[in-house]
Amino acid sequence: MQHNKVLILDFGSQYTQLIARRVRELNIYCEIHPYNKIPTSIEEYKAVILSGSPFSVRGDDAPHPDLSQIRGKKPLLAVCYGAQYLAHFSGGEVAPSNTREYGRANLDFVKENEAFFAGISRGSQVWMSHSDTIKHLPTNGVLLASTHDVENAAFKIEGEQTYAIQFHPEVYHSTDGKQLLENFLVHIAKVNQDWTPQSFVEETVDGLKEKLGNDKVVLGLSGGVDSSVAAILLHKAIGKNLYCIFVNNGLLRKNEFENVLKQYEGMGLNVKGVDASARFLDTLKGLSDPEEKRKAIGNAFIEVFDDEAHRIEDVKWLAQGTIYPDVIESVSATGGPSATIKSHHNVGGLPDFMKLKIVEPLRMLFKDEVRRVGASMDMDKDLLGRHPFPGPGLAIRILGDLTREKIRILQEVDAIFIDNLKSWNLYDKVWQAGAILLPVNSVGVMGDERTYEKCVALRAVESTDGMTADWVNLPYEFLQKTSNEIINKVKGVNRVVYDISSKPPATIEWE
Ligand code: XMP
């Protein structure tokens, strides 16, 4: 089945991914492409959205793509920079604005009986973020809405299905933003809402069958959501020809290797657990710099994985749990670095498994969609709801050098913290949580004895994508109980602190 597709042309706005997420929430499939790489198969797209941009249309280096295949030929929604671009090149005028046009605003004029504004009334809050403004509408422009400071907040072009808005419907602060996108896409552009997790699973499995045939595929499982969902999709398509490798680097959570391995086996996956803890700890010996630790872990992983992949005779493909934000980053209009990094690899020097062909079944999905797809395949709720966990694991939560004893202490502390979050029904309200072992000893007293032991920090954050985050206001009683339990049960710890820093300026991890 061919889905109706929407094209989002990216002019480099920080909000472009949000547009795609809002569109997908309407069960409409969309793709983001950079403004300078408009797909040649433009007729496949049912509607087009132009994103915002950090540029000014009046700047020499601003994006000025040729829209002649789109404008007037397809339903078009131009957002912020997109709207200014339309105005600037079609007989209107864009100039620096005199008043502040950032943040909240309210629509104080809305043209009546406009399908574009159906269900949205005067007063609706919208989010502005621009320093230029449209002084005069383009030729055939019809004003649809204004705010107190922005006269030409929304307009359409007479005789075309072209709409333009200077505010951002994709951010949550535009309270009717989703309704507006629905009005444009569903009611005006007549795009079908046929993008569902079930349809994704069916089509992906069929596609994988066709692409992979009888080939063997190797996949590194991490215990996380993305690699697990990718594995289940591949398993549905090729069964035992999928060879999964789950490496214990000795830096996982307490009992995680055994528990997750069992869970994978229970799901019918052909999975090999490789306990390489000793090898990892060996290469980490004496390292205390965070980046050196990361590098050592990355290299050790490549060696272990390469050894294991070699044991699979005649394997042709490497499957990865790459998701859409990684893909967009590597092709974004502002030029993410990952594409260049990959293309500059010296192929001769790569480990053998990296010479395999790559298959990435989740490369068009956002994280929340990955979870929905997993749920539609009846995957375990706990597995799908797991917090993100960094690849280098506890190594970057033990500040400074690593020892077996430090890892043991941190695993115990972390397990108490996480178990308590679950039993207090707080786990699902938190984006990510964990404990950090600090490189300080402090004085304490236990019974009549003076102690001089370790201090641990607890960290729990709220976030939607890990890019920004805030600490979670956990109940005092919870912190009190958890702190007591840690100090009473974990030998070697006499002090617990709670991290109340937001990101930015802090980061989620401490290293
Ligand atoms: P920061 O600390 O940068 O973390 O705020 C943002 C998110 O990324 C995770 N993280 C990592 N994940 N390898 C990973 O696979 C790493 O080296 C790494 N460092 C941070 C972190 O857990 C959070 O989810």
Side-chain angles (χ1 to χ4, degrees), residues 89-214:
F89 286 98
S90 313
E93 186 194 345
V94 176
S97 64
N98 299 326
T99 44
R100 189 175 167 274
E101 294 184 5
Y102 289 96
R104 287 179 184 80
N106 296 85
L107 298 175
D108 68 2
F109 161 77
V110 176
K111 191 167 183 294
E112 279 178 37
N113 300 323
E114 262 304 321
F116 188 61
F117 278 109
I120 303 170
S121 44
R122 215 178 143 137
S124 178
Q125 179 178 292
V126 294
W127 191 258
M128 296 283 184
S129 178
H130 51 252
S131 49
D132 277 355
T133 198
I134 299 172
K135 291 276 187 229
H136 298 294
L137 294 182
T139 314
N140 296 333
V142 179
L143 183 65
L144 296 184
S146 309
T147 68
H148 183 268
D149 293 323
V150 182
E151 187 189 351
N152 298 315
F155 60 91
K156 68 175 178 182
I157 306 286
E158 196 67 65
E160 296 178 14
Q161 283 185 313
T162 299
Y163 292 80
I165 46 183
Q166 290 206 77
F167 53 87
H168 289 270
E170 66 275 22
V171 306
Y172 285 107
H173 295 87
S174 289
T175 37
D176 292 313
K178 198 169 157 189
Q179 178 70 55
L180 195 96
L181 289 170
E182 183 175 343
N183 289 348
F184 170 71
L185 291 170
V186 180
H187 305 305
I188 294 170
K190 309 277 187 234
V191 182
N192 292 337
Q193 294 173 285
D194 55 9
W195 170 252
T196 61
Q198 290 80 2
S199 68
F200 173 83
V201 171
E202 281 166 26
E203 288 157 31
T204 305
V205 170
D206 287 349
L208 288 170
K209 275 183 185 159
E210 197 174 311
K211 182 178 200 165
L212 303 172
N214 277 324

Side-chain angles (χ1 to χ4, degrees), residues 166-474:
Q166 290 206 77
F167 53 87
H168 289 270
E170 66 275 22
V171 306
Y172 285 107
H173 295 87
S174 289
T175 37
D176 292 313
K178 198 169 157 189
Q179 178 70 55
L180 195 96
L181 289 170
E182 183 175 343
N183 289 348
F184 170 71
L185 291 170
V186 180
H187 305 305
I188 294 170
K190 309 277 187 234
V191 182
N192 292 337
Q193 294 173 285
D194 55 9
W195 170 252
T196 61
Q198 290 80 2
S199 68
F200 173 83
V201 171
E202 281 166 26
E203 288 157 31
T204 305
V205 170
D206 287 349
L208 288 170
K209 275 183 185 159
E210 197 174 311
K211 182 178 200 165
L212 303 172
N214 277 324
D215 289 353
K216 289 184 186 169
V217 178
V218 60
L219 167 90
L221 282 169
S222 70
V225 180
D226 303 340
S227 65
S228 305
V229 174
I232 295 299
L233 280 167
L234 282 154
H235 180 68
K236 274 181 182 288
I238 61 168
K240 293 287 174 207
N241 270 343
L242 173 68
Y243 291 76
C244 301
I245 296 170
F246 179 38
V247 176
N248 183 5
N249 57 11
L251 303 159
L252 302 174
R253 298 192 132 118
K254 186 180 172 185
N255 297 333
E256 187 167 25
F257 181 62
E258 298 75 14
N259 293 345
V260 173
L261 195 55
K262 237 182 256 154
Q263 201 171 18
Y264 281 140
E265 284 163 354
M267 285 152 59
L269 292 176
N270 176 9
V271 54
K272 179 169 184 192
V274 180
D275 188 354
S277 328
R279 189 161 169 177
F280 277 86
L281 295 188
D282 223 36
T283 57
L284 282 163
K285 210 171 263 164
L287 298 184
S288 55
D289 176 79
E291 288 316 307
E292 281 182 22
K293 289 198 281 186
R294 276 192 173 81
K295 214 177 286 166
I297 293 167
N299 290 340
F301 182 83
I302 288 175
E303 284 170 25
V304 172
F305 195 84
D306 202 31
D307 285 355
E308 290 305 323
H310 261 110
R311 289 174 217 259
I312 310 164
E313 219 170 282
D314 211 20
V315 62
K316 294 231 163 41
W317 298 82
L318 171 70
Q320 292 183 326
T322 314
I323 62 173
Y324 202 33
D326 312 324
V327 176
I328 300 169
E329 170 62 15
S330 68
V331 296
S332 78
T334 43
S338 25
T340 9
I341 291 169
K342 275 179 205 145
S343 62
H344 282 99
H345 266 312
N346 171 1
V347 176
L350 289 177
D352 277 353
F353 78 85
M354 287 184 88
K355 295 175 192 159
L356 299 172
K357 289 187 273 185
I358 304 282
V359 53
E360 296 172 320
L362 307 176
R363 62 182 276 117
M364 298 315 275
L365 298 192
F366 289 106
K367 189 91 180 179
D368 48 330
E369 293 175 318
V370 175
R371 292 202 164 100
R372 275 163 54 201
V373 164
S376 83
M377 297 190 291
D378 292 326
M379 285 176 66
D380 183 67
K381 235 175 96 266
D382 288 343
L383 197 155
L384 295 176
R386 294 183 96 188
H387 290 170
F389 187 68
L394 299 182
I396 55 167
R397 293 184 182 169
I398 295 171
L399 307 197
D401 68 324
L402 299 168
T403 62
R404 277 178 199 280
E405 177 62 1
K406 287 182 186 174
I407 295 171
R408 181 201 63 81
I409 290 177
L410 190 59
Q411 281 178 332
E412 297 296 333
V413 171
D414 177 80
I416 293 172
F417 183 33
I418 299 295
D419 285 350
N420 284 352
L421 283 171
K422 286 181 177 161
S423 61
W424 281 60
N425 284 328
L426 292 165
Y427 185 84
D428 291 335
K429 301 190 175 99
V430 169
W431 160 267
Q432 187 169 4
I436 299 99
L437 187 67
L438 305 185
V440 271
N441 280 31
S442 77
V443 174
V445 52
M446 279 185 183
D448 291 330
E449 300 269 318
R450 176 185 180 280
T451 60
Y452 187 59
E453 292 180 332
K454 291 268 172 267
C455 174
V456 291
L458 305 183
R459 180 102 165 115
V461 295
E462 300 170 327
S463 176
T464 49
D465 51 14
M467 303 293 286
T468 59
D470 206 357
W471 60 281
V472 179
N473 204 335
L474 292 174

